[in-house]
Amino acid sequence: MNRRAVQRFRTKLMAAVASVALGTAVLAGCSSGDSSSSAAAGSSSTSSSAAASVDGSLKAAAVLADNQDVHAEDGDTDVDASDAVDIELNGDSASADADGVTVDGSTVTITAEGTYRLSGSLNDGQVVVNAPDVKVTLILDGVSISNSKGAAIDIADADEAVVVLADGSENTLGDTDSYAEDAEANAALHSAADLTIGGSGSLTVQGNGNDGIASTDGLVIQGGTIAVNAADDGIRGKDYLVVSGGTVTVTVGGDGLKADNTEDADRGYIAVSGGTVKVSGKGDGVDAATDLVVTGGKLTVGSEASDDSSAHGLKSGVITVLEGGTVDVDSSADALHSDGAVHLAGARVEAAAGDDGVHAEGDLVISAGTLEITESNEGLEGKDILVSGGSTTVTAGDDGVNASGSEASSDDQGGQGGFGGGGGGESVGDYTAKVTGGTLVINASGDGFDSNGTAEITGGTVVVNGPEMNGNGALDVNGSFTVSGGTLLAAGSAGMVVAPDTESEQGWLSATLDSSVPAGTTLHVVDADGKVVATYVTSKTIQNVVFSSSAIKSGEEYGIRSGGSASGDSTGGLTEAGDLGSADQIVTVTAGEAPEGGFGGGPGGRG
């Protein structure tokens, strides 16, 4: 999708959301409470549906190019302090020798363009910038400001503001513990203009009444050591929030990093390209109204709701692209969540989730990088899931991979007691799970590789360490399931066995053992001449093995032997080589034939 196509999508999406919101407001104004609740639900459904249509294969550059340009430039925070106007804060007053600075008690107001160096403390005061249409730079050089009535620093009006943390300086800001609902400045460091923060000093911000740092335009962090503690959101840039350097630590009662402009299609985005960011909060760790893009740096997020509300780790309204850097997420809800698409395109990601490891209402694409989901309910969940590259490892308490829609719960999608593989009687939805490259290793207690629609493997390596209970299967596909390349090894229970379709271009076998074998058992797939085709070491108790590779020829007989040894590198238990030794043959099967009681043999022929 080119930039113009993306823009058309964004405009259409935002128009649809605005239209639905207006309709909701009209209905709410002339209906009962129950009706307005229904309208609100309709609004959410419509906006999510629109967002879910975004192309999940978009790269970071294409996504960012379609957004509003960042106001900041390299060198913005490299200022010459010798040209600065000095402002000395003296507890309950201040002094400055410049026409652009006025002092009224403990309130300092800057009204002219220029660079101002602040030092000292205000015990209960405020620094205000009111300089329309010009750029103002504030150098914080050993500043401590607290204000019991409002923001510590309020950039009320300017074209652009820059805050520089002087080399070696330690600076602190603290605000009131309560704001009026209509307060324009509602953060310890508040800006109504585009704001850039940088330098090599430190800044500690205590947002007692609401947010820590907030801009109603764009906000860019280029450097500094910044620690934010806030009652609500930590760092918020309405139009965008960009982190390109520095060390940022955020501890909050709400969302950690946030961009919340939902009115303009090219705004409301968050981008991290460098620096180190650590977030700990009770809301969403990183929440972008539109796009969330990570191309570098280190991002560590912990999000745990203190009640029944959702606390996702990384959240976007349109698309999340993780293309570089390191991302580590631990969340009580989804680790990665998007109302539209998610593209894992080169970052190194580790995720632990109370719900889904990665959830996308639309496309979920993994093309490069490393993804390790160490804990989740469902590992990967999306409408259309594509693994084309990278290395992915999934641990899930329920389904490992689940191509499905949000309108159905896990229990509705072939959980305990459900039937898989088309022949089980489930409808075939408009969902796809495809693997064309890369490595995908699944460890699931529910269904391992599951699609409520169709599934296709054309390349790459897929290893499924599936369930031990018979109510689920290592493979579960409602519609067609074809294999035309790559390697597939799926092992699990024998109660809900699903195998690829007979129309598959690549050969496959499905072997149900007479009795289960325990974890740690070495199994070999051997051809009629006794040659080892594959060696697999079980990590659970299993009774069925499905295997497909270019070495399997449909119609030929293969044996499964137990014993011997495995050698070489292991991919989820599938090893590079194996030696039969005195291994015993425990079952013989014909490639391309589903086991009795299993599901296989093409559409309409499963079961």
Side-chain angles (χ1 to χ4, degrees), residues 308-546:
D308 293 333
S309 60
S310 172
H312 300 306
L314 308 185
K315 179 182 177 182
S316 68
V318 177
I319 187 170
T320 294
V321 181
L322 305 183
E323 196 165 299
T326 301
V327 179
D328 190 342
V329 183
D330 189 344
S331 172
S332 61
D334 299 340
L336 277 61
H337 176 100
S338 179
D339 293 337
V342 174
H343 187 186
L344 296 160
R348 185 178 185 86
V349 181
E350 183 172 327
D355 199 0
D356 299 339
V358 182
H359 178 100
E361 291 294 310
D363 293 351
L364 196 170
V365 178
I366 302 174
S367 64
T370 301
L371 170 63
E372 182 178 3
I373 299 175
T374 60
E375 181 181 357
S376 66
N377 179 38
E378 296 197 336
L380 306 178
E381 184 173 51
K383 179 181 180 295
D384 296 298
I385 300 174
L386 169 63
V387 178
S388 61
S391 175
T392 303
T393 303
V394 174
T395 300
D398 194 3
D399 298 343
V401 171
N402 187 5
S404 64
S406 61
E407 70 275 4
S409 68
S410 299
D411 291 339
D412 298 327
Q413 296 168 2
Q416 293 286 345
F419 295 91
E426 288 196 17
S427 62
V428 179
D430 183 23
Y431 314 113
T432 61
K434 297 180 180 180
V435 180
T436 64
T439 300
L440 174 61
V441 176
I442 300 168
N443 183 350
S445 297
D447 296 323
F449 186 76
D450 182 0
S451 175
N452 288 4
T454 63
E456 180 181 356
I457 299 175
T458 65
T461 299
V462 180
V463 177
V464 182
N465 296 292
E468 297 180 290
M469 302 297 292
N470 284 328
N472 292 289
L475 303 169
D476 183 5
V477 182
N478 289 11
S480 65
F481 176 24
T482 59
V483 180
S484 59
T487 300
L488 167 66
L489 187 291
S493 58
M496 303 295 296
V497 175
V498 169
D501 297 347
T502 55
E503 287 82 357
S504 296
E505 295 179 12
Q506 181 168 282
W508 56 268
L509 62 86
S510 179
T512 296
L513 314 180
D514 291 338
S515 59
S516 60
V517 298
T521 302
T522 300
L523 299 177
H524 307 274
V525 178
V526 298
D527 62 17
D529 296 326
K531 178 183 177 181
V532 175
V533 175
T535 298
Y536 170 69
V537 180
T538 64
S539 59
K540 302 177 181 179
T541 298
I542 63 107
Q543 196 174 356
N544 175 266
V545 176
V546 175

